[in-house]
């Protein structure tokens, strides 16, 4: 009698687990069909966000550091922005020159 009750209880647990898996799978399929029109834009957003986040993070960090440097040296923002192309050209030319000298 005891072994039979244990077997019946195990059968109920297995049945409940199978029903849960079937319901969860059914909900996933219905959710896929409802969100199917949004799937391609969502995948593109994830893909481009994954690729662009490191670039955005580095750009934001560099801009913050540049602004803090301008604040610490008490350089007016209009002067710093005017000098930015000249400083960028100087940095790029020094970088290229150092690569050729290696």
């Amino acid at each position: 009698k005891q072994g039979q009750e244990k077997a019946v209880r195990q059968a109920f647990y297995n049945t409940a687990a199978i029903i849960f898996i079937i319901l969860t799978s059914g909900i996933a399929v219905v959710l896929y069909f409802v969100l199917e029109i949004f799937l391609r834009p969502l995948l593109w957003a994830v893909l481009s966000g994954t690729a662009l986040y490191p670039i955005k993070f580095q750009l934001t960090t560099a801009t913050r550091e540049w602004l803090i440097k301008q604040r610490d040296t008490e350089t007016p923002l209009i002067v710093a922005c005017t000098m930015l192309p000249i400083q960028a050209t100087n940095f790029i030319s020094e970088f290229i020159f150092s690569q050729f000298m290696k």
Side-chain angles (χ1 to χ4, degrees):
K1 187 100 175 161
Q2 184 73 4
Q4 193 174 18
E5 287 179 15
K6 188 174 184 179
V8 170
R9 190 176 322 149
Q10 188 66 32
F12 280 126
Y13 289 153
N14 285 343
T15 304
I18 290 172
I19 290 173
F20 177 74
I21 291 172
I22 290 172
L23 285 176
T24 305
S25 300
I27 290 171
V29 168
V30 168
L31 188 64
Y32 171 77
F33 284 128
V34 168
L35 296 177
E36 185 178 13
I37 58 172
F38 303 107
L39 196 58
R40 182 171 285 165
L42 284 173
L43 289 175
W44 274 110
V46 168
L47 182 64
S48 63
T50 302
L52 292 178
Y53 177 76
I55 297 168
K56 177 195 158 286
F57 182 77
Q58 288 178 347
L59 186 62
T60 303
T61 304
T63 304
R64 283 186 183 147
E65 289 174 357
W66 182 76
L67 286 171
I68 289 170
K69 179 181 153 191
Q70 300 313 314
R71 183 187 64 197
D72 291 344
T73 59
E74 296 181 1
T75 304
L77 191 59
I78 189 73
V79 173
C81 288
T82 305
M83 294 298 294
L84 194 58
I86 297 169
Q87 292 172 344
T89 305
N90 186 31
F91 176 78
I92 291 169
S93 64
E94 285 181 8
F95 178 75
I96 292 172
F97 182 72
S98 69
Q99 294 299 317
F100 281 126
M101 296 308 284
K102 285 186 178 179

